[in-house]
């Protein structure tokens, strides 16, 4: 989700009080357009997929309607801001779509308010087992699964092999852990005067080392721990040693550093390839993609799009069935090939498309990303007022790492600030 979209979450979630009230009234919506000539019509909403992927959806919808002659799919596509506003308004007015594409964060926000169906009540054990466990569980809060995972993405480690070799390291045996990555960065700095990589100071740094941001109930901060102090102080030391550039570097700045060969590594998703290929063709030619090293949590962070079924849907059973069809292995494999995304289903990555590489950087990134899915998870799932929490964490990291404030004192102040945010 973009920063702009995240910035609207707080305003949008305030509308959920109406949704909760209407959802508690029981039953599905009463939209008369949901039944047409004896057929059930399902309203299916997606985010920014037309017209690029219209041929794919026309095919998959036609296939579903042929297999389910009692169902007609009415597909509509909206920009992110439009779909969230329209969804909340429609539910509050008692006329709800049936299957909606949302990101995990907003799906969980909706679920925590009782506005979307608990998929655990509708899926068989076999259907649930089709998805990667970490990605499926990204939608689970207090035992309830508020969405079906759809297409996703994970980071990989991009490596400038020329710089790595100049530092006396072997790119054929890349670092597998964050500790090893740090040692590689230290040797690169010592041997050739470059940094290992640039880093954005965001809350995912907690997740990488298995430090929970909030408690299980999502009601209070949980990061003020000795482990967090150690993690932050280690990063501060890495910046002082030249392992990591000493700044809070956003993605666009990271691209510039890598393109200018000021750093040897970049941790990013597949979109990074397009930027570096354009900005620095020679660097692109010297770059390989390998699995991103893991921290103490031994997870890789994903960014997943999901499908939800609002509780006010007039046809919950039919809607869940269609959502399962769209996210099954066959459908996801086909969509991944069309959209250059990763699937959330285990059987999909058995396809040669995800296992065979022509050794191009794009193919390398695709294969290693697919291989990372068994350890993938979203990390900001269900966090209330996520934008404000993220901003507070970033300011605290900046104060400690860049401005030299005391780690323990700053974390204690951050804990209070996050608790205050959660009470809003």
């Amino acid at each position: 989700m973009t920063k702009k979209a995240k910035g609207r979450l707080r305003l949008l979630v305030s509308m959920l009080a109406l949704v909760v009230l209407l959802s508690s009234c029981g039953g599905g919506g009463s939209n008369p357009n949901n039944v047409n000539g004896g057929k059930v019509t399902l309203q299916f909403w997606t985010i920014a997929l037309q017209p690029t992927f219209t041929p794919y959806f026309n095919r998959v919808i036609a296939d579903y309607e042929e297999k389910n002659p009692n169902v007609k799919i009415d597909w509509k596509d909206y920009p992110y801001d439009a779909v969230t506003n329209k969804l909340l308004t429609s539910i509050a007015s008692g006329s709800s779509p049936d299957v909606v594409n949302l990101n995990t964060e907003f799906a969980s926000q909706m679920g925590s308010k009782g506005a979307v169906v608990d998929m655990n009540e509708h899926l068989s054990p076999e259907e649930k087992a089709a998805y990667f466990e970490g990605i499926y569980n990204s939608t689970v809060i207090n035992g309830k699964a508020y969405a079906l995972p759809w297409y996703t993405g994970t980071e990989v480690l991009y490596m400038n092999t020329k710089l790595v070799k100049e530092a006396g390291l072997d790119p054929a045996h890349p670092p597998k852990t964050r500790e090893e990555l740090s040692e590689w960065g230290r040797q690169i700095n010592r041997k050739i005067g470059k940094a290992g990589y640039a880093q954005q100071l965001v809350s995912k740094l907690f997740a990488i080392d298995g430090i929970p941001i909030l408690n299980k109930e999502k009601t209070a901060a949980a990061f003020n721990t000795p482990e967090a102090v150690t993690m932050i102080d280690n990063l501060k030391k890495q910046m002082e040693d030249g392992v990591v550039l000493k700044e809070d570097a956003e993605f666009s700045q990271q691209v510039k550093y890598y393109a200018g060969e000021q750093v040897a590594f970049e941790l990013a998703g597949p979109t990074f390839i397009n930027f570096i290929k354009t900005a620095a063709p020679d660097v692109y030619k010297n770059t390989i993609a390998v699995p991103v090293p893991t921290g103490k949590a031994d997870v890789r962070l994903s960014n997943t799009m999901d499908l939800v079924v609002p509780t006010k849907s007039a046809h919950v059973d039919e809607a869940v069935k269609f959502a399962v069809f769209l996210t099954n292995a066959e459908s996801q494999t086909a969509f991944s090939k069309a959209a250059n995304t990763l699937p959330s289903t285990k059987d999909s990555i058995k396809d040669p498309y995800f296992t065979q590489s022509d050794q191009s950087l794009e193919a390398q990134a695709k294969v290693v990303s697919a291989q990372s899915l068994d350890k993938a998870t979203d990390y900001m799932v269900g966090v209330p007022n996520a934008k404000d929490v993220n901003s507070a964490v970033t300011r605290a990291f900046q104060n400690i790492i860049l401005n030299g404030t005391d780690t323990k004192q700053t974390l204690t102040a951050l804990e209070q600030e996050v608790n205050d945010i959660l009470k809003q």
Side-chain angles (χ1 to χ4, degrees):
M1 180 173 57
T2 64
K3 289 185 177 180
K4 181 179 179 182
K6 282 189 175 182
R8 299 183 64 90
L9 272 176
R10 191 173 175 184
L11 174 62
L12 293 171
V13 172
S14 67
M15 297 176 64
L16 285 172
L18 290 174
V19 176
V20 176
L21 178 62
L22 286 170
S23 296
S24 66
C25 294
S30 58
N31 187 349
N33 294 325
N34 280 349
V35 178
N36 182 14
K39 285 189 175 184
V40 170
T41 298
L42 298 179
Q43 300 292 326
F44 170 44
W45 294 1
T46 57
I47 301 173
L49 295 176
Q50 291 182 1
T52 305
F53 305 110
T54 297
Y56 166 81
F57 283 101
N58 284 343
R59 287 194 302 271
V60 76
I61 288 172
D63 183 29
Y64 188 78
E65 290 177 342
E66 181 180 355
K67 294 175 179 176
N68 299 270
N70 65 314
V71 176
K72 178 177 176 56
I73 307 299
D74 183 9
W75 175 38
K76 291 181 171 60
D77 189 72
Y78 301 99
Y80 182 86
D81 288 352
V83 78
T84 50
N85 274 303
K86 190 173 178 63
L87 173 61
L88 293 174
T89 301
S90 67
I91 294 176
S93 67
S95 176
S96 170
D98 302 287
V99 180
V100 185
N101 169 202
L102 296 175
N103 62 62
T104 301
E105 185 177 340
F106 194 68
S108 297
Q109 295 275 17
M110 295 285 288
S112 67
K113 304 299 182 182
V116 293
V117 167
D118 174 12
M119 294 295 180
N120 279 341
E121 294 183 353
H122 294 269
L123 269 62
S124 68
E126 292 76 19
E127 287 172 330
K128 286 188 284 188
Y131 307 96
F132 285 102
E133 183 178 0
I135 299 177
Y136 183 84
N137 287 340
S138 294
T139 70
V140 177
I141 300 176
N142 296 326
K144 296 182 178 181
Y146 294 124
L148 292 183
W150 197 9
Y151 60 96
T152 190
T154 62
E155 291 183 342
V156 301
L157 178 67
Y158 296 97
M159 178 187 304
N160 185 321
T161 57
K162 179 171 74 73
L163 297 184
V164 167
K165 291 176 181 177
E166 287 177 359
L169 296 164
D170 182 3
H173 298 88
K176 295 181 179 180
T177 67
R178 291 284 172 144
E179 290 80 6
E180 291 176 359
L181 180 62
S182 177
E183 290 305 314
W184 276 49
R186 188 166 284 106
Q187 182 165 331
I188 286 166
N189 181 259
R190 185 173 66 250
K191 294 284 189 178
I192 62 174
K194 311 285 186 178
Y197 59 99
Q199 175 72 65
Q200 193 167 11
L201 301 178
V202 291
S203 53
K204 74 175 183 181
L205 296 175
F206 284 138
I208 289 169
D209 269 1
I211 300 165
I213 298 170
L214 303 182
N215 60 14
K216 292 182 179 180
E217 296 74 27
K218 310 294 184 184
T219 58
F223 51 74
N224 191 6
T225 64
E227 290 79 11
V229 172
T230 298
M231 182 274 291
I232 295 171
D233 286 347
N234 282 344
L235 180 56
K236 186 175 181 179
K237 181 69 163 54
Q238 288 173 2
M239 288 190 172
E240 292 171 350
D241 291 347
V243 175
V244 181
L245 285 179
K246 192 173 183 179
E247 68 171 87
D248 182 8
E250 293 190 352
F251 178 70
S252 60
Q253 194 61 40
Q254 293 177 30
V255 172
K256 292 179 182 178
Y257 287 137
Y258 190 90
E261 295 194 320
Q262 294 174 259
V263 298
F265 307 115
E266 170 64 18
L267 293 79
T271 56
F272 172 75
I273 297 175
N274 296 328
F275 289 103
I276 201 66
K277 193 173 186 177
T278 301
D282 290 339
V283 175
Y284 164 82
K285 292 176 182 177
N286 290 323
T287 297
I288 62 172
V290 298
V292 68
T294 56
K296 293 179 181 178
D298 196 28
V299 298
R300 293 188 171 97
L301 306 181
S302 63
N303 183 18
T304 305
M305 278 292 187
D306 305 305
L307 294 179
V308 303
V309 173
T311 53
K312 297 300 291 181
S313 165
H315 304 285
V316 168
D317 290 340
E318 292 88 348
V320 171
K321 184 178 178 181
F322 179 57
V324 170
F325 178 81
L326 281 175
T327 60
N328 68 23
E330 182 179 357
S331 297
Q332 287 214 43
T333 301
F335 185 65
S336 292
K337 292 178 180 180
N340 194 27
T341 60
L342 291 178
S344 59
T345 44
K346 298 174 185 175
D347 282 348
S348 291
I349 65 165
K350 297 176 183 178
D351 189 281
Y353 177 78
F354 297 104
T355 60
Q356 297 177 0
S357 171
D358 60 7
Q359 298 308 310
S360 67
L361 183 58
E362 290 81 355
Q364 290 175 20
K366 176 187 64 181
V367 171
V368 299
S369 293
Q371 292 171 347
S372 300
L373 288 171
D374 62 336
K375 294 183 178 181
T377 183
D378 274 11
Y379 73 97
M380 285 297 286
V381 176
V383 175
N385 300 329
K387 178 179 181 294
D388 293 337
V389 172
N390 273 324
S391 296
V393 171
T394 291
R395 287 193 300 271
F397 283 163
Q398 289 171 341
N399 285 333
I400 297 170
I401 296 172
L402 303 181
N403 301 328
T405 62
D406 182 79
T407 305
K408 292 182 180 179
Q409 291 179 1
T410 305
L411 274 181
T412 299
L414 174 62
E415 179 182 29
Q416 183 60 56
E417 183 178 359
V418 168
N419 287 340
D420 290 342
I421 291 171
L422 296 175
K423 294 175 183 178
Q424 295 175 6

